[in-house]
Amino acid sequence: MQHDPSAPHSSQFALLRQRRFAPFFWTQFLGAANDNLFKFAFTVLVTYQLQLGWLPPAQAGLVIGALFILPFVLFSATSGQLADKHDKTRLIRFIKSLEIAIMALAAWGFHATHVPALLACVFLLGLHSTLFGPVKYAYLPQQLSERELTGGNGMVEMGTFVAILLGNVAGGLLIATPQVGAQHVAIACFALALLGRLTAQAIPSSPATDPHLKINWNPVSETWRNLSLAREQLAVFRSLLGISWMWFFGAVFLANFPAFAKEVLHGNEQVASLLLVVFSVGIGVGSLLCEVLSRRHVEIGLVPLGAIGMSVFAIDLYFASRGLPAPPAALSLGAFMAQAAHWRVLLDLCLLALFAGLYSVPMYALIQLRAQPTHRARIIAANNILNALFMIASSLLAGALLGAGLSIPELFLAVGLANAVVAFYIFMLVPEYLLRFVAFIASRCIYRFRIRGDEHIPTKGPAVLVCNHVSFVDPVLLMAASPRPIRFIMDHRIFRMPVLGWMFRLAKAIPIAPRHEDEATYEAAFREARRVLDDGELLCIFPEGGITRDGSLQPFKGGVVKILEEQPEGGAGIPVVPLALTNLWGSFFSRVEQGQAMVRPFRRGFFSRVGLAADAPIAARDVTPELLRERVAGLLGAPTATPGAAYRGSRSST
């Protein structure tokens, strides 16, 4: 059952006290920990403790990794269909019961030191994760509101990386126990599987979204069909590619940590483990920061910020790690930490991972929010296939570059530079990311932007937003406040401005001119407005007809009424939401200087307080220009009889 979006939500950590999230969180946490405890312990077993002619230690890690990834390629398409067709809670319980059976086989394999059985368990655990992945990300949007989705994803990502870290550490410690290490690993794996099945029992029901779906068992054709479904929504499809690129990027670092620690940092195994700890902590912190920075909305403006940080600190890692002096013997953890130069390396790794968290969490949330619920799990399954393919490509390309003579720091530099190119390409293909980034910077760094009543802005379906017009950056601030893209109807003259015109064209704003000046542009604007609403998007209009020149709330024109009248049934079912921007009059972008704007930079300094207030929607049949103006004036806190006071009354001393 969907949580009431209007209900108060104090923090993402509050979700851990709620049944709709906590049992699910601990189920996925225990599963991730168990996967990694088993894989790392098995890798150490065949690398250090067993001598197998058919599985050399140098190849063991690669074989185990490949066996684990293989089911993602083979079965992701099927797992996505199963998640859409069946109740997700029942499916989770079945998957966790399967994990118990797998770990029972693994326990026997460890007890008998039967390596082929343990390799089979690696493949089966990969199948377990393949089945669980689409369920995991399709479950969240059924249980969380839009305002909780970023925080919920952040908690899951943080929990996953902490579980990976703890699983690796526990696996290494347990398998190293003399004589009984394998038995301890077997007991721990089986116990974690049982505990995961118990927590899964408490997960509330999550009904099927497409119960009549006919399963297509052909993974190739089904994967292609799922990618075609995703391509119908370009923002979703490009987000899939963006996430897969993040896995490509991260796999280069994770796969090379042992060699980086030994050959470049001249440290021992403890130093390699420290790199993994720092990377995991960075990912976890970045994932949790997403909710704080996004103000509990799906804020994809964080994605360009994350991409910038990933490149900056990957490039700096190259400069921080090259030319480090080689000691006579491998450095212990204490000796490594005693050298100041190594702290810069650790800081780069931590911040690189932190920005990767900022990059990935909003993309996952966007896919969950925008993908059609009936095939959401199948799109996530397609993403898992892409992730696996990108990680395989990452390993092949990194191996080729290292084989061609690149050092590991030079490989990190190349990936950091490639990330900048790929990110720029994605952001040009999907301008929404770049536009939200500009809005994010404007609302956090230039202004102190306070939003009130944003729950009235619909997260789904068509709606008309009606706002006063105070400055040239009004659309930017409205973009920052809205949980999804807005199409603006704007004065055609603003498109002639050098920077703002380019940005509003990128946002697909709709130019409009007075009918007596340019009838063709006037009619085209209303045709496009009809199409926007027909497509279920948000449309925003500034009914004053232009930016105020004297700080007064001008009379509202009848464009909104015309738009609604041209909709089927007079726009019935399309809400009209009154909005009011406050305290922008007198800012650099307002016409405060004798009707001119952008004359005196920093006239109110940085971080001046501005705001947006939203009122309850008005039914289309009740809309009149006078009523809309009255409601907007009420949000501004000024009487309608004295329009000049509307802005001046809302202006603070800043």
Side-chain angles (χ1 to χ4, degrees):
M1 182 176 65
Q2 185 78 22
H3 178 65
D4 179 9
S6 64
H9 170 51
S10 56
S11 162
Q12 55 197 330
F13 293 100
L15 293 171
L16 289 175
R17 299 193 296 270
Q18 300 178 32
R19 188 186 167 209
R20 61 198 171 97
F21 183 80
F24 165 80
F25 174 85
W26 291 115
T27 299
Q28 67 87 29
F29 181 92
L30 291 166
N34 209 9
D35 280 354
N36 287 276
L37 190 157
F38 171 84
K39 286 192 299 177
F40 193 75
F42 181 37
T43 303
V44 172
L45 179 70
V46 295
T47 303
Y48 292 100
Q49 299 180 15
L50 300 178
Q51 300 298 323
L52 301 171
W54 58 274
L55 186 60
Q59 301 296 323
L62 293 175
V63 171
I64 290 170
L67 276 175
F68 188 79
I69 289 176
L70 183 58
F72 284 91
V73 179
L74 297 178
F75 304 118
S76 282
T78 304
S79 68
Q81 295 176 86
L82 293 173
D84 279 333
K85 183 177 177 61
H86 299 288
D87 182 291
K88 292 171 184 58
T89 302
R90 292 179 62 188
L91 199 54
I92 290 172
R93 291 170 184 165
F94 167 78
I95 293 167
K96 302 315 286 185
S97 298
L98 175 64
E99 184 183 2
I100 293 174
I102 296 169
M103 287 309 172
L105 177 61
W108 175 82
F110 276 117
H111 179 74
T113 319
H114 197 286
V115 174
L118 293 173
L119 287 172
C121 288
V122 172
F123 180 85
L124 291 172
L125 278 177
L127 175 61
H128 160 272
S129 296
T130 301
L131 292 171
F132 190 74
V135 181
K136 176 171 76 170
Y137 287 109
Y139 172 88
L140 288 174
Q142 281 190 277
Q143 300 292 335
L144 305 182
S145 70
E146 185 273 336
R147 298 172 69 86
E148 297 169 313
L149 204 51
T150 295
N153 275 283
M155 291 292 291
V156 168
E157 291 300 300
M158 177 276 297
T160 299
F161 275 89
V162 170
I164 290 171
L165 177 62
L166 293 178
N168 283 329
V169 171
L173 292 174
L174 289 173
I175 198 66
T177 308
Q179 299 180 344
V180 293
Q183 286 76 14
H184 286 177
V185 171
I187 293 169
C189 288
F190 192 74
L192 285 175
L194 282 174
L195 194 55
R197 180 59 182 85
L198 288 174
T199 57
Q201 195 62 36
I203 298 175
S205 176
S206 185
T209 52
D210 193 359
H212 303 296
L213 174 68
K214 184 178 179 181
I215 302 293
N216 174 14
W217 298 100
N218 185 328
V220 177
S221 63
E222 182 60 25
T223 298
W224 185 256
R225 188 170 73 176
N226 293 343
L227 291 174
S228 299
L229 286 172
R231 277 197 296 268
E232 292 175 4
Q233 296 172 282
L234 277 181
V236 170
F237 181 66
R238 302 275 161 70
S239 295
L240 298 182
L241 296 178
I243 289 171
S244 296
W245 169 255
M246 191 274 294
W247 283 105
F248 179 103
F249 179 91
V252 170
F253 290 89
L254 290 170
N256 286 283
F257 276 166
F260 182 62
K262 180 180 179 181
E263 298 173 13
V264 179
L265 303 180
H266 313 293
N268 61 12
E269 296 88 344
Q270 292 178 326
V271 174
S273 298
L274 176 65
L275 299 184
L276 179 61
V277 170
V278 169
F279 195 85
S280 299
V281 168
I283 286 278
V285 172
S287 299
L288 292 178
L289 277 176
C290 285
E291 189 196 44
V292 177
L293 294 175
S294 65
R295 293 173 178 163
R296 304 194 181 107
H297 276 304
V298 176
E299 179 50 85
I300 62 174
L302 293 174
V303 175
L305 179 64
I308 291 168
M310 288 162 64
S311 283
V312 166
F313 292 106
I315 293 168
D316 191 66
L317 183 60
Y318 162 75
F319 291 104
S321 59
R322 65 174 185 165
L324 292 173
L331 296 173
S332 66
L333 185 60
F336 176 82
M337 296 297 292
Q339 297 187 23
H342 295 153
W343 284 90
R344 178 180 170 187
V345 171
L346 294 177
L347 183 63
D348 281 334
L349 270 180
C350 184
L351 291 175
L352 180 155
L354 184 150
F355 280 97
L358 292 180
Y359 174 93
S360 63
V361 169
M363 279 194 171
Y364 275 117
L366 177 76
I367 291 169
Q368 292 165 331
L369 189 66
R370 302 274 182 88
Q372 290 296 326
T374 52
H375 53 261
R376 183 187 286 133
R378 279 168 280 170
I379 288 177
I380 292 167
N383 182 52
N384 289 341
I385 297 173
L386 288 175
N387 290 348
L389 294 175
F390 270 64
M391 290 171 71
I392 293 169
S394 168
S395 298
L396 295 174
L397 183 59
L401 291 174
L402 291 172
L406 261 68
S407 67
I408 293 176
E410 287 170 343
L411 175 65
F412 292 167
L413 173 65
V415 172
L417 293 172
N419 181 69
V421 174
V422 170
F424 180 78
Y425 176 70
I426 290 175
F427 302 147
M428 288 297 98
L429 286 176
V430 188
E432 186 183 348
Y433 285 114
L434 190 59
L435 293 167
R436 290 300 293 251
F437 176 61
V438 171
F440 177 84
I441 295 298
S443 61
R444 270 75 166 182
C445 300
I446 298 175
Y447 297 111
R448 281 182 289 177
F449 187 42
R450 181 183 178 188
I451 306 169
R452 177 168 52 89
D454 56 330
E455 67 274 8
H456 295 307
I457 302 175
T459 57
K460 295 179 181 178
V464 178
L465 310 180
V466 174
C467 190
N468 57 328
H469 208 358
V470 196
S471 75
F472 285 97
V473 295
D474 293 354
V476 176
L477 294 175
L478 291 174
M479 279 191 277
S482 173
R484 58 194 179 115
I486 303 173
R487 296 289 301 278
F488 295 92
I489 298 180
M490 302 177 65
D491 190 314
H492 67 291
R493 288 168 293 190
I494 200 169
F495 292 88
R496 301 172 192 163
M497 301 183 69
V499 177
L500 292 175
W502 169 81
M503 187 172 69
F504 295 140
R505 277 192 294 272
L506 205 61
K508 298 181 180 177
I510 304 166
I512 191 169
R515 191 168 195 167
H516 65 274
E517 285 185 19
D518 189 341
E519 185 171 359
T521 300
Y522 176 85
E523 294 297 340
F526 283 98
R527 282 197 304 273
E528 183 64 13
R530 287 195 298 273
R531 193 188 67 77
V532 167
L533 294 175
D534 288 342
D535 290 344
E537 298 181 63
L538 289 180
L539 178 72
C540 182
I541 186 169
F542 300 100
E544 293 170 274
I547 297 172
T548 180
R549 292 179 175 272
D550 60 0
S552 298
L553 183 63
Q554 304 298 318
F556 281 15
K557 298 181 179 179
V560 178
V561 175
K562 178 177 171 62
I563 290 170
L564 294 172
E565 286 176 346
E566 294 183 358
Q567 290 296 308
E569 300 179 5
I574 298 178
V576 179
V577 183
L579 305 173
L581 286 162
T582 60
N583 203 35
L584 269 167
W585 177 251
S587 70
F588 173 66
F589 294 101
S590 67
R591 296 184 181 274
V592 70
E593 302 286 346
Q594 290 80 47
Q596 299 296 316
M598 294 175 279
V599 175
R600 290 173 52 199
F602 315 116
R603 69 184 314 277
R604 282 169 50 177
F606 281 102
F607 306 114
S608 61
R609 291 192 180 100
V610 299
L612 175 74
D615 204 353
I618 304 171
R621 64 178 180 275
D622 299 327
V623 168
T624 64
E626 294 75 22
L627 175 61
L628 287 172
R629 186 180 179 283
E630 179 183 340
R631 293 281 289 273
V632 172
L635 291 170
L636 290 166
T640 59
T642 56
Y647 296 120
R648 292 190 286 269
S650 66
R651 185 176 64 190
S652 73
S653 60
T654 59

